[in-house]
Amino acid sequence: MTKESDPKKPKIQEDKLTVKTGLKSRTIKVDYLARVEGEGALYIQTENGKVLDVKLKIFESPRFFEAFLRGRDFMEAPDITSRICGICPIAYQMSAVTAMENALNLTIPKPIQDLRRVLYCGEWIESHSLHVYMLHAPDFLGFSDAMSMAKKHPELVKDGLYIKKMGNAIVETLGGREVHPINIKVGGFYKFPDKKTCQKLANNLKPARDKAYAAIKMLGGFTYPDFTKDYEFVALKDEQQYPMAEGRLVSTKGLNITAAEYDNHFEEIHVEYTNALHSKLKKRGNYFTGPMARYNINQAKLSPIVKQAIDDIKFESYCTNPFRSIIIRGIEILYAFDEAIRLLENLNSDTPASVTTDITPSVGYGITEAPRGILYHRYKIDKAGNILDAKIVPPTSQNQLTIEQDLWDFVKQYIKLPKETLTHKCEQAIRNYDPCISCATHFLKVHIN
Amino acid sequence: MTDKNTIIIGIGHEFRGDDGLGPLIIDKLNGKVSQNISLKKLRGDISTLISIFNDYKNVIIVDAMVTHTAPIGYIHRVQGNDISTLGESCRTSTHGFSIPDALNLAETLQCLPQQLTIFGIESNNFNEGAELSPAVSSQVEPLITKIINFLE
């Protein structure tokens, strides 16, 4: 949550802001970004009205998950990788099981796919609602943090906490635990819920769906900076449904590949000033993954109630203003409730909880849609099922270059704003991506002498 | 206090030294308190506390505490909403609030429980992978006794 505690006005604290007051140059330096998950900093240098340098510095310590996965059993991958994140553990579990099941050539029955999709709905709800109500809404309502916002808008915060609670309820009921669920495994689940449990949960979600519907009108009423760009959006695309763990990887500029082809088209680069690798398309550079990419590529697959909510606020069918991403997160919260209810009410509970197959040496690939965007896992396993090699590319590291480019272009466009206002808007621009810095932090190589 | 609207919440992470106190107390209370009393472990997302406040009249929180006002191993009991005495009473993940943040927010939203009691042990070791420090570990059973006596 926020590190700021000034309830009176949305100002940056003096000890965080370093300013050169020379006539020709300005430095915007935020040593500790507020209202983002994890530890990062911002540095922007301008001179004579031109942007000279932009750096988004991730100084959160590297995690080394890819290293210590080596030698572990393939069944441990979802439980180990879920520890990368406390707000999106299911995304890591889903990408891990998808990649392992790809390696094993294991076909997953539809009831298991459906239950996994419900769990993913729960995670989208809790992650998006935390961001929308606690981290990002204060920017649009003129508050420095959720605490000060709660004093003027208590019902808004209560609604946000209630919506998050219902997302947590999905995860706890079906996953066995709110944080780092324990019910997901390669091949399915340890335990499948009964019909009564599913119906009770579905009934409990319906009032929350109503709240989520009403929230879209509120989000549509915020004031948004005028800032649009020609992005290359990258997301899964599925012919049947709004994708969470299904489909091919496509972009708005011609990419159309399977998960197995990911490494042929994307590369990670270690940058000196940050602990997170920069990810880029080999042919075209930076790209944009996350809710806005999913919406722009797949909005035709949203359910009728969601399309009605979009129509109510006359939201654009193709959005290129990242500041309006908060609306799309609101849209996805509503979709997740509606989809979870639909699946729970129709779930075939009379089914084996999991399937198995023989292990052979192989490489497996998996891409699923974490709340913040595509999450890629690749594993190589031996004949005993031991992991020989692992690669994990989280969405926030994939968006880093685009975030920096946004800052570059935003500062160019709004360079005449007062320094303090511009600094706040730059922090807000970073929050557009709901970055999960703990996930993104990563070293390519570590040399120990 | 044996109604169905009481919950005891142990906050912390069992693999982070003295932060494991809360979950440990919940494990030890299991089977020792009335079945009418709910027991819950909570790690990381302290914003969930506010949801719990809405559902229960009487809330007891157990956590490692860092107040710098007492020797390590001292058992604290904070009654009501005296947040100023809590100090840094919760080591959380970067995803959530601290306990004082959660209580402040609950107070702002007017959803504090009717009765709130916080039990804790003054702690100083939150190293990842560490066990409870000896001074804290030695006070676990006395704390259990205090909580059970408080409930009766």
Side-chain angles (χ1 to χ4, degrees), chain A residues 165-366:
Chain A
K165 176 184 173 181
M166 298 320 296
N168 289 352
I170 294 173
V171 176
E172 186 171 24
T173 303
L174 303 178
R177 192 162 64 187
E178 276 178 17
V179 182
H180 306 144
I182 54 176
N183 195 23
I184 297 164
K185 66 175 184 175
V186 178
F189 292 90
Y190 290 98
K191 185 180 172 187
F192 218 79
D194 58 38
K195 192 76 183 164
K196 190 175 165 188
T197 299
C198 292
Q199 189 59 57
K200 183 179 174 189
L201 181 57
N203 291 342
N204 288 341
L205 295 179
K206 287 172 183 174
R209 179 175 56 182
D210 294 340
K211 290 271 186 197
Y213 189 102
I216 290 173
K217 188 173 178 186
M218 172 199 67
L219 296 172
F222 287 170
T223 300
Y224 294 94
D226 178 23
F227 182 74
T228 58
K229 288 177 62 173
D230 179 25
Y231 295 103
E232 178 159 4
F233 292 106
V234 176
L236 289 178
K237 182 180 170 79
D238 186 68
E239 296 309 316
Q240 304 300 323
Q241 54 201 335
Y242 198 80
M244 290 180 176
E246 313 84 9
R248 293 174 65 88
L249 189 65
V250 306
S251 83
T252 50
K253 296 195 177 180
L255 186 76
N256 190 335
I257 61 172
T258 64
E261 298 172 278
Y262 179 92
D263 291 321
N264 298 339
H265 294 267
F266 296 84
E267 61 183 349
E268 290 186 290
I269 297 167
H270 189 196
V271 179
E272 186 184 334
Y273 56 80
T274 180
N275 285 348
L277 299 177
H278 279 189
S279 190
K280 48 164 68 170
L281 277 158
K282 288 180 182 177
K283 285 185 180 175
R284 292 183 294 279
N286 67 298
Y287 58 99
F288 190 157
T289 187
M292 192 171 287
R294 288 193 289 265
Y295 174 82
N296 286 337
I297 291 171
N298 295 284
Q299 62 146 288
K301 299 294 189 298
L302 290 166
S303 53
I305 188 175
V306 183
K307 288 180 178 175
Q308 182 60 53
I310 291 169
D311 196 52
D312 286 350
I313 62 168
K314 305 218 177 340
F315 188 65
E316 55 268 36
S317 59
Y318 192 87
C319 181
T320 57
N321 182 344
F323 288 89
R324 289 168 75 73
S325 61
I326 191 173
I327 302 176
I328 296 175
R329 287 190 177 85
I331 287 169
E332 286 196 337
I333 290 171
L334 174 60
Y335 175 73
F337 275 121
D338 196 49
E339 181 71 347
I341 291 165
R342 180 186 74 83
L343 289 168
L344 286 166
E345 289 185 331
N346 295 283
L347 196 68
N348 178 6
S349 296
D350 186 22
T351 184
S354 64
V355 292
T356 60
T357 190
D358 296 329
I359 303 166
T360 53
S362 47
V363 180
Y365 308 85

Side-chain angles (χ1 to χ4, degrees), chain A residues 129-135 137-138 146 149 156 159-160 163 215 218 333:
Chain A
S129 59
L130 177 70
H131 173 81
V132 167
Y133 291 91
M134 297 302 181
L135 303 183
M149 187 178 75
L156 171 67
D159 284 349
I163 286 172
M218 172 199 67
I333 290 171

Side-chain angles (χ1 to χ4, degrees), chain A residues 62-95:
Chain A
R63 314 287 296 284
F64 304 119
F65 272 81
E66 289 170 338
F68 65 75
L69 276 165
R70 292 182 203 144
R72 307 302 304 192
D73 187 81
F74 76 101
M75 290 291 284
E76 294 181 301
D79 295 310
I80 291 175
T81 59
S82 73
R83 266 63 181 184
I84 291 173
C85 190
I87 198 69
C88 55
I90 288 174
Y92 283 91
Q93 292 180 317
M94 294 303 176
S95 286

Side-chain angles (χ1 to χ4, degrees), chain A residues 1 37 86-87 147 150-151 154 157-158 161 164-165 168 172 178 180, chain B residues 40 43 45 47-48 50-51 55 94-97 101 104-105 108-109:
Chain A
M1 296 289 168
E37 188 287 324
I87 198 69
M147 200 72 71
K151 290 175 183 164
V157 175
K158 280 184 184 175
L161 290 171
K164 185 177 189 308
K165 176 184 173 181
N168 289 352
E172 186 171 24
E178 276 178 17
H180 306 144
Chain B
K40 184 174 178 68
R43 37 152 101 162
D45 189 1
S47 64
T48 305
I50 298 166
S51 304
D55 295 337
T94 54
H95 299 286
F97 289 121
D101 284 341
N104 274 324
L105 185 57
T108 298
L109 298 176

Side-chain angles (χ1 to χ4, degrees), chain A residues 9-49:
Chain A
K9 47 186 174 177
K11 272 191 153 186
I12 308 301
Q13 289 178 351
E14 283 303 316
D15 60 2
K16 285 176 55 180
L17 187 64
T18 302
V19 178
K20 283 186 182 176
T21 54
L23 290 173
K24 295 183 181 177
S25 71
R26 277 205 304 186
T27 301
I28 294 173
K29 191 165 171 257
V30 179
D31 290 323
Y32 204 106
L33 290 166
R35 284 186 277 125
V36 297
E37 188 287 324
E39 298 180 332
L42 171 63
Y43 174 85
I44 298 174
Q45 177 70 47
T46 69
E47 191 170 282
N48 293 329

Side-chain angles (χ1 to χ4, degrees), chain A residues 35 135-143 424-425 427-428 431:
Chain A
R35 284 186 277 125
L135 303 183
H136 214 184
D139 286 326
F140 296 98
L141 294 174
F143 295 95
H424 176 253
K425 288 296 180 195
E427 283 198 278
Q428 186 179 349
R431 285 192 280 273

